[in-house]
Amino acid sequence: MLKRLLPAAMLCLLLAGCSQDQRILERIGYIETAAFDAAPENKIKATISMPLVTQFARDSKTTDELLDTTATSPKEAKAALSLRTSRIIVSGQIRTFMFGEALARRGLWAHMDTFLRDPSISIRTAMVVVDGKAGEIISQEYPRHTKTANYINKLLQKESNKQSVPRTALHQFTRDYFDDGMDPIAILIKEQEKDITISGIATFQGDKMIDKLPWKDVYLFSLLYQNLSQGEFSMTSDHPDLKAISFRAVRSKRRIEVSKRSSGEYEADIYLRVEGGVEEYIGNAKLSTPERAKVEKLVSEHIATEASRVLRTLQQNRTDGIGLGKYVRNKMSYEEWKGTDWHDLFGQMTVRVHCSFYMKNFGAYFD
């Protein structure tokens, strides 16, 4: 009998000891979104959003608890905010870091150091720049969306999965920050007509935001930035055979070739191969006939021309968000690369964009 009771007693003692480690859900404040804005005296204003569980929610709906404070660093802000809530604030469920434009232009690295040292924060956390103040965005209530923080997270995830925008997570921003042949980027969002919309891409030099590409240039940037396995895009022109056209299931491949002239100057050619299925077409050509080749050529020329325009914008701002520097670096010796001001060279370098577009199909309508 004693042999049977002894294991049971030991198990009870173990369970009693573990009870000190338990975390009751209602007593924990999981930060879902953290927003940071520039404040005077080189400080930051931190705003956090924490979902409330059902016990504390109103009308059986999940709501958010919002807290904000001004501090020197994110960790100091977290300590100050913990004094104003009955729950234990934890960072393990953060989905999005939002930075106001003023803070992004001042520089982000001093504040991001905190996120990288904290093992509880996922390196897959999304990085977003707000066209305005980040704290004001997550503090707003939008009639069509019950939870603002969750709304932003799902919006970013949806567009990234569709490859409508590049995926910009904490680890990607950090990787590009340390890579001397590439500059970081971040998704740009703003408030618009009682909604939140993705408005473009913020381009950086080092950790400082330099410029922003508008939404109409995001897909062109994506073609220059990476290979795509899916996506959708539309385009318009003044040509009678290509007034408007939309594509789905877009696939693309990017190839970059760098060469050195006899004068010692470097130049690059970017080759894009793009294919997609037609969803909409307005023009005089008949896509079910050999005239389709003429439309493909027009689309190819349009993409090459517009992508070259986007690239010139990056060169004017000295922000190499597409990673052209990595290809130039491979053509140089270590000593030559270290003695080169890449941003200056990138701004003056001759870069040509070539595109070959192919229609996978032209829909169920045969014209």
Side-chain angles (χ1 to χ4, degrees), residues 17-280:
C18 292
S19 66
Q20 296 179 1
D21 250 352
Q22 67 181 344
R23 289 198 170 189
I24 300 173
L25 184 62
E26 289 83 354
R27 297 178 185 174
I28 299 176
Y30 292 101
I31 303 176
E32 186 173 16
T33 300
F36 302 94
D37 290 294
E41 300 179 0
N42 210 34
K43 293 186 177 183
I44 57 171
K45 180 182 178 182
T47 307
I48 61 173
S49 171
M50 299 183 296
L52 292 173
V53 293
T54 307
Q55 178 180 344
F56 298 106
R58 298 187 296 270
D59 302 325
S60 299
K61 294 181 180 179
T62 305
T63 58
D64 291 337
E65 180 179 2
L66 290 168
L67 298 171
D68 66 79
T69 189
T70 299
T72 303
S73 69
K75 279 293 184 285
E76 182 184 333
K78 181 181 176 181
L81 293 173
S82 69
L83 301 176
R84 297 167 49 194
T85 178
S86 60
R87 298 189 290 167
I88 302 171
I89 298 179
V90 295
S91 306
Q93 294 297 316
I94 295 180
R95 296 289 182 265
T96 309
F97 288 122
M98 298 171 56
F99 301 94
E101 182 178 342
L103 181 61
R105 291 187 181 276
R106 195 167 77 183
L108 298 180
W109 186 250
H111 311 299
M112 289 179 56
D113 178 86
T114 296
F115 312 142
L116 293 168
R117 292 181 188 275
D118 190 339
S120 68
I121 295 177
S122 171
I123 59 174
R124 300 176 64 184
T125 304
M127 295 277 296
V128 176
V129 173
V130 176
D131 192 348
K133 294 185 177 181
E136 292 182 358
I137 289 283
I138 65 170
S139 299
Q140 294 289 331
E141 293 186 2
Y142 299 91
R144 291 187 288 271
H145 309 282
T146 55
K147 290 184 60 186
T148 301
N150 194 39
Y151 163 36
I152 295 172
N153 297 337
K154 289 185 175 180
L155 172 65
L156 296 171
Q157 186 176 10
K158 170 183 67 86
E159 293 301 319
S160 294
N161 291 340
K162 287 172 53 184
Q163 293 192 325
S164 299
V165 296
R167 191 179 299 275
T168 58
L170 178 60
H171 77 93
Q172 290 159 322
F173 191 98
T174 304
R175 176 200 63 195
D176 297 340
Y177 171 77
F178 281 111
D179 192 328
D180 56 0
M182 188 169 188
D183 288 312
I185 61 170
I187 300 302
L188 191 68
I189 67 172
K190 70 176 181 180
E191 185 178 18
Q192 179 178 325
E193 298 177 359
K194 297 182 180 180
D195 271 317
I196 297 171
T197 181
I198 296 176
S199 58
I201 289 177
T203 58
F204 287 73
Q205 188 181 108
D207 69 329
K208 293 181 174 62
M209 177 181 167
I210 302 298
D211 194 24
K212 43 192 172 185
L213 295 176
W215 172 251
K216 66 183 181 68
D217 292 338
V218 169
Y219 202 83
L220 294 163
F221 177 86
S222 296
L223 292 174
L224 296 169
Y225 179 76
Q226 63 187 353
N227 295 336
L228 302 177
S229 58
Q230 61 179 326
E232 302 173 356
F233 81 94
S234 303
M235 52 171 285
T236 59
S237 74
D238 296 328
H239 197 284
D241 290 336
L242 191 62
K243 293 181 181 178
I245 195 166
S246 296
F247 300 98
R248 60 177 173 79
V250 175
R251 299 174 65 90
S252 73
K253 287 188 177 181
R254 180 194 74 165
R255 179 166 57 90
I256 297 177
E257 293 184 1
V258 174
S259 57
K260 188 176 183 180
R261 297 177 183 172
S262 57
S263 60
E265 297 177 347
Y266 288 88
E267 58 184 12
D269 291 276
I270 301 177
Y271 296 91
L272 303 174
R273 177 186 170 87
V274 187
E275 58 180 39
V278 178
E279 275 196 324
E280 178 186 62

Side-chain angles (χ1 to χ4, degrees), residues 203 211 213 217 220-225 254 256 267-272 303-325 342-343 346-354:
T203 58
D211 194 24
L213 295 176
D217 292 338
L220 294 163
F221 177 86
S222 296
L223 292 174
L224 296 169
Y225 179 76
R254 180 194 74 165
I256 297 177
E267 58 184 12
D269 291 276
I270 301 177
Y271 296 91
L272 303 174
I303 292 176
T305 299
E306 291 301 297
S308 296
R309 176 183 57 78
V310 172
L311 187 56
R312 284 195 299 272
T313 300
L314 296 176
Q315 289 183 286
Q316 290 168 3
N317 293 313
R318 306 294 200 268
T319 56
D320 179 19
I322 65 171
L324 187 61
W342 167 239
H343 290 109
F346 174 67
Q348 302 174 16
M349 190 174 172
T350 299
V351 185
R352 294 174 291 268
V353 180
H354 315 269

